[in-house]
Amino acid sequence: MKNDTKNNILAYIRENNEGTANEIAKKFNLSPQIIFRHLKKMQEDGLIYKIGLPPKVVYRAKQKDQEKPRSKYAEFMDKNYYYISSTGDIMPGEEGFVFWCQKNNLNIEKTAQEYFETLMKYENFKKDGLIDGLLKLKSSFSEVFLDELYYLDFYSIERFGKTKLGNILLYAKQGQNKFLMKEAINMVKAKILEIISKEKIEAVGFIPPTVPRAIQFQKELEKELQLSLSKIILNKKIIDTPIPQKSLNKLSDRVENARATIVYKKDDKFYNKILLIDDALGSGATLNEVAKKIKVEKGAKKIIGLALVGSFKGFDVVNEV
């Protein structure tokens, strides 16, 4: 959910003097369930109150001088924090951070400052919004076939766990949640298109998923990007017992799995520069093996790998996504 949804709901209620959950859901094209979660939290924060009983319940705004003051880190949290509870409640921004702190008996202001400092430390690894992952790959493999490797964010950080993008991506895939998939895609779409334009990419390949699911994130991402470029054909070989990459804890096993199960179908073109997109990078074995297959078949001169999220160092296994 966009970070300003809560403010938009509040503005709508104030403008119309009151509003029902269904009216608000229709106005912002969101599910009533999501709106109810926001309304509940806004009541707890003292921003609104409700009157009436089902089926006729309306929400009205309190006077501004009655509202609870926000933390000095509120805007930073709204931009960078995203909490999904164990019961599936989606709490983006400050409200999610406050809930997490209260759940863990942590001082909110002190912990917010620590979160800010920790996230800023990891932000220092980014240049123009990209994290260079090639050094990590070179520390893991004797031969690296990618010419460049980037990710848009780390999957998780110390103490605070999954990043905003890492959290959304995890639950989008595990829960087969199209709303969260859309959230993740909206976060990365502009940067992917920027890379394609800046690098003069001629063809794009999407790393095929290793876990069979009814809704595949990579397919949704491909549809949303609507690229007019040539496509590198990559398929997952059908075998009797599919072994998900994330279930393999040895680097050599991951390399073997990628080598044996991903099929590259070369077309009749030779590309100067191609982009391979993966959703999450743990060891980098899959991207590296796919790049090797393409170079052996002389399919491209330069191959750039891009993962939406990646692990911080060495052979950190992203074994959930």
Side-chain angles (χ1 to χ4, degrees), residues 119-173:
L119 205 61
M120 287 300 97
K121 181 179 78 171
Y122 284 92
E123 282 292 311
N124 289 332
F125 287 92
K126 294 183 181 180
K127 183 178 180 181
D128 297 326
L130 296 173
I131 300 163
D132 190 342
L134 201 59
L135 183 61
K136 167 190 162 69
L137 214 64
K138 288 180 177 178
S139 69
S140 300
F141 301 99
S142 58
E143 285 187 283
V144 174
F145 297 93
L146 289 163
D147 296 283
E148 296 175 29
L149 172 63
Y150 301 103
Y151 15 106
L152 303 182
D153 205 352
F154 293 112
Y155 175 63
S156 63
I157 60 174
E158 63 199 54
R159 183 186 175 190
F160 296 98
K162 290 180 285 295
T163 60
K164 179 179 179 178
L165 181 55
N167 217 1
I168 294 174
L169 188 61
L170 168 64
Y171 288 104
K173 294 180 66 176

Side-chain angles (χ1 to χ4, degrees), residues 47-60:
L47 298 174
I48 61 174
Y49 63 98
K50 69 178 180 179
I51 57 174
L53 295 171
K56 182 60 176 178
V57 176
V58 297
Y59 297 84
R60 292 178 179 171

